Amino acid sequence: MRRILVTGGAGFIGSNFVRYQLERYPDVHIVVFDKLTYAGNRANLVDLDSSRYTFVLGDIADRPALETALDGCDALVNFAADTHVDRSIMGASEFIATNVTGVYTIAECVRALGIPRAVLVSTDEVYGSIDAGAFRETDPVAPRNPYAASKASGDLMALAHHATFGTPLIITRGSNTYGPYQHPEKVLPLFVTNALEGKPLPLYRGGEHNVRDWLHVRDHGAAIDCVLRKGTPGEIYNIAAGNERENLELTRKILELTGKDESLIQPVPDRPGHDRRYAVDASKLRSLGWVPEVPWDDGIAATVAWYCEHETWWRPLKSGEFVEYYRRQYRVQP
Ligand code: NAD
Ligand code: TYD
């Protein structure tokens, strides 16, 4: 596998995946294809050897542009998506355009060009909330917010494309991911950077109700790489490392690591349709040989340290459009 098209490669998980590929495989050339929405950022790729990757500005729902970029590639990995639940609650048309129409366009291009395999990165949120136990790949989807519904729709289209045409598409469903280069709209970088700025941490419903299972971005990238090389087309693979934390516990950890006290915690009204707990069983993926390698205590400490050391990266992302978004979402200035 020498030339890989990474759609959405300028975002959080995509850029970390590109870094992982270039570090691990000396003969791989990556083509990053990205629309550079507010969440896409060329700065996520600046430390990489520019002779080892090509950047193409484009929309995955634009078939001619995608076909041109994909021509001559051995594989495609799709990270391109609109990804923030709270923004999807404000309006979901972009989510449908990228996460459904875009995924359909990818399937059509992969089929038309005879690309040997494509991995479509999806999320554990498609299964909906679960009070106890963990979802398996055979469980039905039951999304409960517009973002999750758009991702589930993309997954269903991909599975149907495989069943109908034999298109070699593989789906991954990862859990909540953390690490460097995550946009500060998401809870972990938002809370770390707010804490560093001495600003309140807006915790939905006080944080004692909701649980997420945290996966380090490097482990997520390694899992996608494992599926890319060993996965079976038409199959789904869950990804999780078993680091369940209540949001309040996560928040306290962030405050401890940034040296701030709990007076910064600001309980705010709940997100509508807020899923209580996500949990997936990753034993199918583990049977391919993947094991998570980043222990939670090390991963969270290193991640908080990274945001502390990279204010020049996150500061610009908390200005401009973000100020308006923050005011609408939290009814206060960021
Ligand atoms: P992100 O929001 O950080 O990045 C998304 C990237 O996609 C950006 O670079 C953006 O510019 C690009 N993009 C958006 N629309 C596009 C379009 N139409 N055409 C081309 N590029 C476009 O997202 P992320 O957190 O890195 O998530 C990547 C993937 O992983 C998504 O599919 C998401 O659903 C999935 N996922 C994320 C998490 C998480 O916790 N972040 C967990 C599980 C799964
Ligand atoms: P988020 O990072 O948006 O990921 P997801 O909704 O995809 O799981 O949120 C993670 C958890 O943190 C979720 O339970 C909602 C909560 N949260 C807050 O309490 N306050 C916030 O400002 C944000 C963005 C999230």
Side-chain angles (χ1 to χ4, degrees):
M1 215 170 281
R2 308 188 80 90
R3 192 175 173 88
I4 305 174
L5 188 75
V6 179
T7 47
F12 164 47
I13 308 175
S15 63
N16 279 286
F17 178 79
V18 174
R19 188 168 290 106
Y20 180 87
Q21 288 294 314
L22 297 184
E23 277 170 24
R24 196 176 165 111
Y25 303 107
D27 60 337
V28 158
H29 185 88
I30 301 285
V31 181
V32 172
F33 181 93
D34 199 295
K35 189 179 168 183
L36 294 183
T37 66
Y38 76 92
N41 190 351
R42 291 292 299 265
N44 296 359
L45 301 164
V46 281
D47 59 312
L48 302 179
D49 176 354
S50 56
S51 70
R52 305 258 336 263
Y53 80 95
T54 312
F55 181 83
V56 178
L57 182 66
D59 185 336
I60 57 165
D62 176 349
R63 181 167 177 167
L66 187 62
E67 265 196 27
T68 303
L70 187 56
D71 198 11
C73 290
D74 303 299
L76 178 153
V77 183
N78 179 49
F79 296 90
D82 265 298
T83 59
H84 194 37
V85 172
D86 292 320
R87 291 191 193 247
S88 80
I89 293 168
M90 290 176 182
S93 49
E94 286 296 319
F95 289 74
I96 294 163
T98 294
N99 304 359
V100 188
T101 307
V103 166
Y104 171 66
T105 309
I106 287 174
E108 289 284 282
C109 292
V110 167
R111 178 178 175 228
L113 294 177
I115 302 300
R117 57 212 283 121
V119 175
L120 305 176
V121 176
S122 187
T123 166
D124 62 356
E125 300 195 24
V126 299
Y127 296 111
S129 192
I130 186 166
D131 280 334
F135 288 115
R136 305 203 60 149
E137 291 84 351
T138 44
D139 285 318
V141 293
R144 288 172 20 90
N145 63 62
Y147 160 68
S150 68
K151 293 294 292 184
S153 305
D155 288 7
L156 293 177
M157 180 57 77
L159 292 171
H161 218 277
H162 174 265
T164 309
F165 305 112
T167 317
L169 306 173
I170 312 174
I171 291 169
T172 63
R173 291 178 175 162
S175 69
N176 278 70
T177 303
Y178 73 103
Y181 300 105
Q182 186 170 31
H183 192 282
E185 68 189 356
K186 303 296 192 316
V187 72
L188 198 146
L190 178 70
F191 282 14
V192 175
T193 58
N194 276 15
L196 293 175
E197 294 180 287
K199 290 180 174 164
L201 315 188
L203 196 50
Y204 300 145
R205 208 178 163 180
E208 281 182 292
H209 188 66
N210 302 86
V211 175
R212 296 292 184 263
D213 186 357
W214 293 96
L215 172 67
H216 192 271
V217 70
R218 195 170 173 86
D219 284 333
H220 196 160
I224 291 165
D225 182 56
C226 174
V227 169
L228 177 65
R229 284 156 202 281
K230 299 188 196 163
T232 304
E235 294 289 318
I236 300 165
Y237 296 88
N238 291 338
I239 312 171
N243 293 312
E244 285 192 45
R245 294 289 179 282
E246 238 176 34
N247 288 343
L248 181 59
E249 189 184 346
L250 171 74
T251 306
R252 287 188 170 135
K253 187 77 184 167
I254 290 169
L255 289 169
E256 178 197 317
L257 290 167
T258 51
K260 304 289 176 172
D261 68 62
E262 294 195 12
S263 62
L264 284 182
I265 295 177
Q266 179 184 46
V268 293
D270 208 359
R271 167 189 285 175
H274 193 172
D275 285 330
R276 195 186 81 73
R277 175 174 174 266
Y278 296 133
V280 290
D281 180 330
S283 45
K284 182 174 172 184
L285 174 63
R286 282 176 179 262
S287 73
L288 294 187
W290 174 81
V291 278
E293 289 178 351
V294 184
W296 167 252
D297 285 336
D298 296 351
I300 185 72
T303 299
V304 172
W306 188 88
Y307 289 98
C308 292
E309 289 156 13
H310 289 81
E311 184 176 342
T312 52
W313 178 84
W314 57 260
R315 176 75 63 189
L317 301 178
K318 294 185 93 174
S319 65
E321 178 272 346
F322 188 77
V323 176
E324 185 47 40
Y325 159 75
Y326 202 92
R327 192 182 298 122
R328 257 183 94 185
Q329 177 63 22
Y330 301 104
R331 314 249 170 239
V332 287
Q333 298 281 0

